Amino acid sequence: MPTISHDLDELEATMQRQGLTLVRRRGYGVEIIGSEEAKRHSISLLALNHLDDSDLFGQFQDQTVTHPITAQLLDMIGKDNFKKLEQALWELNDDWPNTLSESDYTRMLIKLSVALTRIGNHCLVAANTYDHSKVIPLLQSLMDALDLQLPLEEQRYLSQLLDNEAFPESSLLIHHEDMPTLEGVKQLIQYVEKHLNLTLTEDHSLEEGLIQHIKPAFQRILDGIAIRNPMLVQIKKDYSSLFSIVRGGVQEVYAHIKVPDEEIGYIAMHFGASLERLKPFPRKIRAVLVCTSGIGSSKLLAVKIAKELPQIELIGHYSWYEATRLPASRYDLIISTVDLPLKPDRYIKLSPMLSPEETNKLRAYIEGTTLKKVNPAIAAEAEASGQSPMDRLLLLQLYSGVVLRLLDGFHVHDLAMQHGLVDLAEQLPRMLSLFDKPYIDRHNDKITEQLLARERQGSLVIPDTELALLHTRSEWIEEPLLALYRFDRPLILSEDGEMKAKQALMMLGPMKLDPYSLELLSEISAMLLLPELLTVLAHGHAASIKLFISKKLEAYIKTKLDWRES
């Protein structure tokens, strides 16, 4: 009894944070009460904290789950619903933006599955709670695919859930929602650089990997979701010095959050991968990589494979739901860190750390299995379909076309502020009209509201500057646009008047934007942390600004295409 009472004491605080109440009465028992939404959220957190991908996706062919707690959790989230949802969403992947990370996709599946399971058990959300929510087309498509009939209130609840989980913001920043995220990543890279006495700032893969990883990972820490890292002991052993440096950098840059060693380990793996990338290696056998522990661990595994077995050509990192659907002709081998529903001759399971024993295991597998089934005709076709000089030239044409169109339309506007018109809401219509685009003039008010909505989501001012970044993607905009505005006195950006700017860089793009344009616009936004660009934006002419941006984008494109002078 004392043990149970102690456990319930700890559980009570957790329940309160999740908006639930733990009832404990002698002669009555123990009960958790609260809103249906809070209960669904609590079950989802339990699943995220205690189930891994092998529990969710690895139990195939009616294998029995032996651990009773695992079995109970799978029952609470509805394992059958989970599999049906995953299949249905995959089949609908043309109808929604499938740009979610694997962890975000899994979290969304869990939340949907919990909701459908609770609905099936007649546990419904309260009536009139979602009166003003609309039923989005994705939910209707999902209901049709699963042949579901749901109460209107639940349709509205699920629409809101899907809207929050499946659809990214209408942002022009690819992997980060605000500039502080990018600024923190750059500061962390600079800290590690200084202590390693190496140059890492030009490694775009490191920067992008950290941007994708850190914000959602830190949000999970703030939400109370436990961080598990089964490789932590091995990471500390193999990368003790790097681990200590990264921990010091995280503690300095992110002093406001207590980051556990488990998460430090994942971040250290990003830097470990960057250090390994400094070493060139040849590649020959086509392999697909599936790693669910995170982007950092997958990159580290990739470079370890390349270092130990250079005959392997890693043609891509895929999620479990992509890899299982790839045509066998696309690859010779799948290397995975989790069980997959595939035949043993199509994949091998390894740990992300790739110990010497596993290196030998992989070599033996290639020699004993993979090489025996390689079809020379398929191999020749794959070699021919690789990135040839023609492929690189075509990509160069795509990237350069985006840059030329964007910079050709770039203008600098010096605006005199009229008396009484010093806040952003009143200035935006005038600023938009200067693009001199008929489609913007027709929908000026709608685009203005979208820009203001972005402003309400977070700070627009670049840290320690007088420059604001205004950006949105909109159905009313037909092409990527870029403009700089300079004001003769500070423009008020926030209702309390605390946030002001004397220059504003506006980036606009259509809702359906090709990945090349989105990538380059995001790269321009990342440049706003460079002091040289901030100086030229504040004082330079349009020509000098175009020259600076074009030079930086040229270097970025060369790195992206792995362009080598010969």
Side-chain angles (χ1 to χ4, degrees), residues 285-458:
I285 293 177
R286 301 170 301 156
V288 168
L289 189 60
V290 177
C291 188
T292 58
S293 299
I295 295 170
S297 57
S298 68
K299 288 185 176 179
L300 184 60
L301 178 56
V303 293
K304 278 183 168 289
I305 290 171
K307 180 182 178 183
E308 300 296 334
L309 297 168
Q311 69 267 39
I312 297 178
E313 177 187 5
L314 294 171
I315 62 173
H317 168 239
Y318 292 86
S319 61
W320 54 266
Y321 53 90
E322 291 171 320
T324 55
R325 293 166 172 83
L326 280 176
S329 61
R330 291 273 303 278
Y331 61 89
D332 302 314
L333 167 69
I334 293 179
I335 300 171
S336 174
T337 58
V338 295
D339 293 321
L340 297 176
L342 297 172
K343 294 179 180 179
D345 66 343
R346 289 182 62 189
Y347 85 103
I348 182 172
K349 180 182 176 183
L350 301 171
S351 77
M353 294 306 296
L354 194 67
S355 64
E357 294 79 10
E358 288 185 310
T359 301
N360 293 332
K361 175 184 173 183
L362 178 55
R363 183 180 292 108
Y365 183 90
I366 291 171
E367 293 172 350
T369 304
T370 306
L371 290 177
K372 290 182 178 180
K373 65 172 185 174
V374 169
N375 185 324
I378 294 177
E381 178 186 345
E383 186 175 347
S385 64
Q387 194 185 70
S388 67
M390 180 64 76
D391 293 328
R392 287 207 302 273
L393 286 169
L394 288 171
L395 283 172
L396 180 62
Q397 182 184 38
L398 285 169
Y399 279 118
S400 58
V402 172
V403 175
L404 290 172
R405 287 191 298 272
L406 189 65
L407 294 183
D408 185 55
F410 173 78
H411 295 284
V412 176
H413 304 286
D414 294 306
L415 300 182
M417 306 283 276
Q418 300 176 24
H419 180 69
L421 297 177
V422 293
D423 65 280
L424 180 63
E426 294 183 63
Q427 287 293 327
L428 273 175
R430 177 188 177 196
M431 294 162 67
L432 287 169
S433 68
L434 293 174
F435 279 107
D436 196 23
K437 300 289 183 181
Y439 57 85
I440 288 185
D441 294 337
R442 287 196 301 270
H443 305 291
N444 192 304
D445 56 337
K446 297 184 180 69
I447 300 171
T448 294
E449 181 51 41
Q450 289 175 327
L451 285 165
L452 290 172
R454 284 290 310 160
E455 183 272 331
R456 288 191 288 269
Q457 293 174 14

Side-chain angles (χ1 to χ4, degrees), residues 68-181:
I69 299 300
T70 300
Q72 189 167 0
L73 265 177
L74 289 172
D75 185 58
M76 290 175 74
I77 69 169
K79 183 64 181 291
D80 290 339
N81 284 332
F82 189 89
K83 288 183 178 179
K84 290 175 183 176
L85 277 166
E86 193 279 315
Q87 185 62 39
L89 279 173
W90 180 264
E91 292 172 357
L92 294 173
N93 67 359
D94 289 335
D95 297 335
W96 63 292
N98 54 349
T99 55
L100 295 178
S101 67
E102 190 173 338
S103 59
D104 290 341
Y105 183 83
T106 302
R107 184 182 68 239
M108 181 184 69
L109 280 175
I110 287 174
K111 289 186 176 183
L112 285 172
S113 187
V114 168
L116 292 183
T117 301
R118 296 285 294 178
I119 293 169
N121 292 333
H122 307 292
C123 301
L124 306 177
V125 296
N128 303 320
T129 305
Y130 300 93
D131 281 348
H132 302 292
S133 300
K134 62 180 180 179
V135 178
I136 63 174
L138 174 58
L139 177 63
Q140 191 58 57
S141 299
L142 192 59
M143 290 169 58
D144 293 341
L146 295 172
D147 194 23
L148 282 177
Q149 299 293 326
L150 298 174
L152 181 59
E153 200 72 16
E154 289 291 352
Q155 291 185 41
R156 290 169 172 167
Y157 166 81
L158 289 172
S159 289
Q160 188 176 96
L161 190 156
L162 276 170
D163 211 27
N164 292 337
E165 297 286 335
F167 293 89
E169 292 183 80
S170 58
S171 172
L172 283 165
L173 312 185
I174 294 182
H175 297 308
H176 41 91
E177 297 172 4
D178 49 24
M179 296 308 293
T181 303

